[in-house]
Amino acid sequence: MARGRAGRVAAATSTGGVAGKRSGRVGDSAVIGAGTYADDRLGAGSATGPGEAIIHLCLVRSALELVGRGFGPSWVARHVLAELERRLGAPAGLVLIEPAGRIGSAHTTEAMAAAWRSEKTGRPLLVG
């Protein structure tokens, strides 16, 4: 994800695949609205995990709707991942950024690395 100086956002997600997947299965967590989404009014986000479950809840778009209603991106990331796990038993990870620049990252997987950089810090901040 990226946020420009004027607050415009963009998102792109590349799927790493799922261990033990069936031959011919196409990774689907990068589906727009489900695993990746950007809207200048709401923010941008990227999810990782089992694409079928992420698609079922349209995870990133749902998360950004909450961000757009004024909830902080860190809280939203934790909230929607808890809902994903409660409803579908699926662990996942999520990174969000709002147009004002606040970032939220959460995961219910064993581990998920995330990093971001700003002009202020000049160096990447790694969160694991």
Side-chain angles (χ1 to χ4, degrees):
M1 302 161 339
R3 176 191 172 271
R5 288 185 180 128
R8 299 202 60 186
V9 296
T13 302
S14 174
T15 181
V18 175
K21 69 180 181 177
R22 295 197 302 197
S23 179
R25 179 184 180 272
V26 176
D28 46 16
S29 60
V31 171
I32 303 298
T36 191
Y37 193 76
D39 181 317
D40 289 340
R41 296 166 298 143
L42 304 174
S46 181
T48 185
E52 294 83 359
I54 289 169
I55 288 170
H56 188 78
L57 291 188
C58 223
L59 190 74
V60 176
R61 172 65 189 197
S62 298
L64 289 172
E65 284 293 330
L66 293 172
V67 171
R69 291 185 198 151
F71 295 98
S74 291
W75 180 87
V76 169
R78 290 188 309 272
H79 175 76
V80 298
L81 290 180
E83 182 72 3
L84 181 71
E85 199 153 40
R86 184 185 69 77
R87 288 181 58 190
L88 301 172
L94 179 61
V95 181
L96 302 169
I97 187 168
E98 65 179 5
R102 286 191 306 167
I103 297 169
S105 175
H107 61 90
T108 53
T109 55
E110 189 174 315
M112 183 189 90
W116 50 85
R117 178 183 164 168
S118 73
E119 284 184 0
K120 231 185 237 186
T121 65
R123 63 187 191 289
L125 170 64
L126 179 65
V127 176

